[in-house]
Amino acid sequence: MGTLPVIDAPKWYETIRMADGVTLIHEPWIKRNIWHVRGRDHDLLFDTGLGHFSLRRHVPLVTERKLTCVASHTHFDHIGCHHEFPDRCVHAAEAEILADPRNEWTVADRYATDAMFDGVPQGWDTARYRILPAPADRLLEQGDVVDLGDRAFEVIHTPGHSPGGIALYEKTTGILLSGDIIYDGPLIDDVYHSAVDDYVGTLLRMRELKVAVVHGGHFPSFGKVRYRQLIDEYLAQKRQAGCHLLQAR
């Protein structure tokens, strides 16, 4: 622990401009992705990170224009700064957690420890870490649309990693903001309120989605070939483990 660098607030976030008006707001010291999308009428902010350092104070991009703040799900490292923004959205299945984000419900009790950092944030105290309540202004369901004026993102309900997980899909560009249901790293299906059968069902349903690029909750973005590979690898593992949803396939 003593060999890790101590990171102060101005160095905590980095912003990386991607294609199609998408900007990655990255917390590199915990390998966490936050996604900002520019729209004509207002912007989209998909997840808000750990919350130890204020997004509004340290990332000017999120204060330039009105935006809609969407939670991919309510695990602690995705909703830490939600309280800083009005116009908050979450799937109905996890609205209670966003409004009352207890550590045992957000998996902070298991994962929000010193061990998760590559560099220790200045002022961090594991024992005192809490997320502030951020009741939703809008509850999202499968098929709803987040409209930015000149672009529209369809809500895909993605239960498995958590019951109220969602991804956002822009059909015209093939952009998928996937949260934690699919990213280029080990997929997690064994935390509080995860469900393997739901995870398998979600990925079977999403497998044929016509994606051009996937921006996940962790790790680098990837394209359509890797998207299919990652899904097939997960499904193969669960087939070998005897998942009943896959036995007849």
Side-chain angles (χ1 to χ4, degrees):
M1 184 68 177
T3 62
L4 294 178
V6 176
I7 312 301
D8 59 16
K11 298 177 183 177
W12 186 255
Y13 297 105
E14 63 177 353
T15 57
I16 303 171
R17 294 196 180 276
M18 315 290 276
D20 296 309
V22 177
T23 298
L24 167 61
I25 304 169
H26 189 42
E27 294 181 281
W29 306 100
I30 57 169
K31 300 179 176 64
R32 175 70 197 91
N33 299 334
I34 300 162
W35 296 101
H36 180 277
V37 182
R38 184 72 77 186
R40 183 191 66 205
D41 297 343
H42 60 280
D43 297 343
L44 166 68
L45 187 64
F46 192 62
D47 289 344
T48 58
L50 179 68
H52 181 65
F53 294 124
S54 166
L55 265 175
R56 292 187 64 89
R57 191 175 308 145
H58 300 292
V59 182
L61 177 65
V62 303
T63 62
E64 292 175 355
R65 306 170 76 236
K66 180 181 177 181
L67 58 76
T68 297
C69 182
V70 178
S72 67
H73 62 299
T74 56
H75 289 162
F76 73 100
D77 53 329
H78 295 259
I79 60 168
C81 287
H82 260 59
H83 65 278
E84 296 189 323
F85 302 95
D87 193 13
R88 297 183 291 263
C89 305
V90 69
H91 190 273
E94 295 186 32
E96 180 182 2
I97 299 176
L98 192 62
D100 183 15
R102 305 176 192 181
N103 282 14
E104 63 269 26
W105 289 353
T106 66
V107 303
D109 60 340
R110 175 172 171 180
Y111 288 104
T113 67
D114 295 1
M116 72 175 170
F117 297 112
D118 291 333
V120 182
Q122 190 174 58
W124 173 262
D125 183 346
T126 294
R128 297 180 61 185
Y129 177 73
R130 298 291 185 276
I131 297 169
L132 294 179
D137 299 281
R138 179 185 176 190
L139 301 183
L140 298 174
E141 300 285 356
Q142 172 75 27
D144 286 348
V145 173
V146 178
D147 188 352
L148 305 183
D150 59 339
R151 54 196 311 182
F153 286 83
E154 180 185 350
V155 174
I156 301 174
H157 184 205
T158 62
H161 180 69
S162 70
I166 61 170
L168 295 180
Y169 175 61
E170 187 176 41
K171 186 175 182 180
T172 56
T173 60
I175 291 172
L176 180 68
L177 305 175
S178 63
D180 279 5
I181 197 66
I182 185 76
Y183 50 69
D184 200 352
L187 301 181
I188 296 174
D189 58 15
D190 63 349
V191 295
Y192 169 70
H193 66 195
S194 295
V196 171
D197 282 354
D198 287 345
Y199 214 130
V200 168
T202 292
L203 292 186
L204 285 171
R205 177 167 46 89
M206 293 179 67
R207 187 178 184 276
E208 303 305 322
L209 197 66
K210 295 180 179 179
V211 302
V213 61
V214 181
H215 299 309
H218 305 269
F219 302 101
S221 301
F222 51 92
K224 60 182 180 180
V225 174
R226 185 60 178 151
Y227 173 75
R228 185 72 64 85
Q229 288 174 340
L230 289 166
I231 290 177
D232 288 348
E233 287 170 5
Y234 178 85
L235 296 177
Q237 291 172 4
K238 298 309 167 184
R239 184 177 289 108
Q240 291 177 358
C243 176
H244 72 277
L245 292 178
L246 295 167
Q247 295 311 300
R249 290 176 176 265

